[in-house]
Amino acid sequence: MATCSHLDEITITQLPEAVDGCEDCLRIGDPWLHLRLCLECGHVGCCDDSPNRHATAHAEASGHRIIRSLEPGELWSWCYADEVAMILPEVHGETRIPPSPLGG
Ligand SMILES: [Zn+2]
Ligand SMILES: [Zn+2]
Ligand SMILES: [Zn+2]
């Protein structure tokens, strides 16, 4: 089984109480589908099924590798470098998010 060797790069172990949406989409007025949190700096971006794929764009631009889903009930994290999904027990909390502009 593949494992992630970048866990020491995680700086965020407490999820924010609430976010307004994908911060990059909000800036340009675009809609998103699902939200992802960068566990290295707290950037909130949108998933790869969203038109702008801001979570992946952020990972490529910043070199940050690990994201956590902010969708209700989704506990998984993802490492872009290792391409491995994982549950991180050290990450706590649940984030209130607005309904997706694209639904689903
Ligand atoms: Zn990794
Ligand atoms: Zn976005
Ligand atoms: Zn980041």
Side-chain angles (χ1 to χ4, degrees):
M1 197 176 92
T3 55
C4 172
S5 55
H6 309 96
L7 297 182
D8 58 346
E9 295 173 13
I10 293 173
T11 63
I12 293 175
T13 55
Q14 183 66 47
L15 299 179
E17 239 173 65
V19 300
D20 295 329
C22 170
E23 54 188 75
D24 296 316
C25 283
L26 287 170
R27 197 172 297 129
I28 58 179
D30 271 1
W32 63 86
L33 187 58
H34 297 143
L35 296 178
R36 310 290 183 236
L37 179 78
C38 174
L39 288 181
E40 298 185 37
C41 74
H43 171 273
V44 178
C46 50
C47 71
D48 280 354
D49 292 323
S50 303
N52 295 313
R53 302 178 175 203
H54 280 130
T56 297
H58 170 76
E60 286 172 357
S62 66
H64 298 163
R65 300 178 174 95
I66 303 175
I67 55 167
R68 165 68 147 75
S69 175
L70 287 183
E71 296 299 308
E74 290 190 2
L75 300 177
W76 55 265
S77 298
W78 172 259
C79 175
Y80 283 102
D82 295 311
E83 298 192 321
V84 60
M86 55 206 164
I87 303 274
L88 299 172
E90 66 267 40
V91 177
H92 304 285
E94 191 174 341
T95 305
R96 275 198 319 277
I97 63 173
S100 161
L102 291 177

